[in-house]
Amino acid sequence: MALARTIENEAPVIALRNLTVAYPRYGGEPRTALAGIDLAIDAGEMVGLVGEAGAGKTLLARTIMDAIPGDGRLVCGEMDYRGAPISRIGRDDSPVRPGRDIAMIVSNPRNELNPVLTVGTQITNVIRHHLRLGKAEARERALQMLRAVAIPDPERRLDAWPHELSGGMAQRVVIAIALACNPGLVISDDATSALDVTVQRQVLDLFKALVEDKGVAALLITRDIAVTAHYCDRIVILYDGEVVEDAPRKAFFDRPHHPYSVLLMAAFAHSVSLRRQWTAAPLKTAASPACRFAERCVRRQPRCIAEAPALRDVAPGRRVRCHFPVEAVA
Amino acid sequence: MQILRYIARRLLFVIPQLIGIVAISFFLIKLIPGDPAVLMLGPNATADAVANLRSQMGLDQPLVNQFFIYLGNVARGDLGMSWQTANPVLTDLLQRFPATLELVTLSLLLALAIGIPLGVASSMHKRGALRRFADGYGLLAGALPDFWLALVLIFVFYSVLQIAPAPLGRFSFMLIPPETITGSVLIDSLIEGRFDVFWSALGHLILPVLTLGLVNAGPILKITQSTMDRALSSDYIAFARLSGLPRRTVRAQAFRASLPNIITIVSVLYSFLIGSAVLVEIVFGWGGAGQYAVAGVLNADVNPVLGFVLFAAMLSLVVYLVVDLLYFALDPRTRV
Ligand code: SF4
């Protein structure tokens, strides 16, 4: 009993090992869209996943939810939820259920709600299905959730239609749905990018508070590295389907180690000189380089073309995938 | 309350709409060559007799006057006489319109019963054999002429297998027709307890309903499938799936989203079939309203045609009003 407890407390909520997803390509090798992702998130921890469009951020989220889009295929990899291996979540025999144990919110909140169902119905649908509650209890819980996401006049909002809500309100409702069944992990896939800046801040503040309060593990996917600087405990940088850097927030922003991280930071700081300094001249080589970032890297050496860098520990809690990590930016 | 105001406003426009429809069809029909007086009296009539009849029928008056005379009569419930049947048009139509309505209504119910489940299922399983079958069916149903299918069905089920009754009318002509109450033979015979007529009518309905049902299931299937497809790829369905809602809930939500489009296509088909089921009516000797109107057009018998147009227009207006009310009930965004 005691042992089980400690394991439960110490194991990360979600642990991904060597997660690899490939898409078939006409008359060619399959394209590896996610290459051996290793990532773990603890309870109450908020991890920011940053990368440009096409890096595989959304695909990673969908893979965790067992909802890989298109004809992509999970080639290999393992997932643990609270220390117990899960084959694929969502299978009937899996104890881990999407929506209950792992919840996800995506961008454009107005479109995420069904226009012909009231807010209350949409929340209670999820609650009743996952928690097997009766009508009245589910409604009571939905009301609690609306209060938790600080929606004014929650009783009335239960009977409101989605088109009667502002974007920020709709996003709060979506968060309420995601958190309604006390999930262990919440993934936010660029969820606030459609909102204007002040509303985005309010929603993120609320989200952060809820995550800390409920001890939920959170994965915050974004293109905006500034968002992670404010809200995340740890930053993970994804480039072309690979984790290239993983570091605690302060360490990361003090001294990014991967050349790509520096480039992202330059954009964040609106520093033209920094960006120019870290943008590489086009690569002139016939062989496709072993490091996926080599084509855009100012620090590449012959070794980068010949040998793929591994994701290695450089300090406690810090990993970087580079042969020649950056020590000083300027 | 808003809905009552809406209905009142709609009803206000019904009369002008009907007058407009009658006006257009009146002048269009007058463009059709052929003098009813000549046709009625036959080729050997004297010029005097023709002129007499023409003035009797008001045909010597200016067209605009003729129109207002007709309009005045219609307002008093007099749709004129048909010289072919020698009956008042109103009597004829009250007899024939229900026959067509019965046929079209049952056919559309069958079409819905085929089209909707097939559309929903094929949309939920995009890669299955069912999808390919549904796509093939949609294509085929769109390409088949209904009267041709009717002839094939008659050939197979009447001539070869001898299961279906002869394609002659709405029930066996050996039976005494029931009193007309609603005009639907099925309902009237049940009301009067005439089960012999009921079973005979049911048997006679099978092939024409099958014909129109099979053909019109095509568009219903297509609409259901395409709107379900669109709903299933929408963000809120994706979110419902990510929220772990079970498949049947997702299906129900997507179906709910495609209901307005299904209602639209059904209303269009309904109004359309009242007139265009005529070929099938002819094949089965149905004696419906479409058949009556076409005979009128071919014989310069103006009053039945105008009467039919008026009836069909009123029906369409009713159908579209019902459709609007359904939209109203279905979409919370219209209930501000
Ligand atoms: S391994 Fe070489 S090419 Fe790749 S990021 Fe590091 S320095 Fe650049």
Side-chain angles (χ1 to χ4, degrees), chain A residues 62 65 67 70-71 98-100 102 104-108 111-117 125-126 129-130 161 163 174 177-178, chain B residues 127 234-249 252-254 256-257 260 330-336:
Chain A
R62 301 271 165 160
M65 301 292 289
D71 41 11
R100 187 189 66 190
I102 302 180
M104 185 160 157
I105 46 186
V106 279
S107 59
N108 215 347
N111 296 351
E112 279 174 70
L113 297 174
N114 190 331
V116 299
L117 297 177
N125 269 350
V126 175
H129 175 67
H130 287 309
W161 301 99
H163 69 271
V174 169
I177 294 175
Chain B
R127 296 174 194 219
S234 70
D235 286 350
Y236 63 84
I237 291 292
F239 183 60
R241 281 185 169 139
L242 288 174
S243 303
L245 289 177
R247 206 179 156 72
R248 63 187 137 75
T249 311
Q253 287 194 8
R256 173 70 173 69
L330 281 176
D331 192 345
R333 279 163 296 193
T334 58
R335 294 175 238 147
V336 185

Side-chain angles (χ1 to χ4, degrees), chain B residues 58-124:
Chain B
L59 293 176
D60 52 350
Q61 308 238 13
L63 213 53
V64 179
N65 282 10
Q66 288 184 39
F67 173 66
F68 282 110
I69 293 169
Y70 181 76
L71 216 54
N73 290 341
V74 169
R76 274 180 281 110
D78 175 11
L79 297 183
M81 300 284 287
S82 158
W83 66 261
Q84 294 177 92
T85 62
N87 285 334
V89 167
L90 190 63
T91 318
D92 278 347
L93 276 177
L94 285 179
Q95 217 172 56
R96 286 155 217 251
F97 221 76
T100 298
L101 274 186
E102 189 173 52
L103 175 64
V104 169
T105 308
L106 290 176
S107 303
L108 277 181
L109 286 179
L110 177 67
L112 285 173
I114 299 171
I116 288 181
L118 205 54
V120 170
S122 66
S123 189
M124 293 293 287

Side-chain angles (χ1 to χ4, degrees), chain A residues 259 275-281 293-294 296-301:
Chain A
R275 197 157 76 214
R276 201 170 298 138
Q277 188 188 337
W278 286 87
T279 303
F293 187 61
R296 293 167 61 183
C297 186
V298 283
R299 294 168 66 86
R300 66 176 169 253
Q301 314 264 333

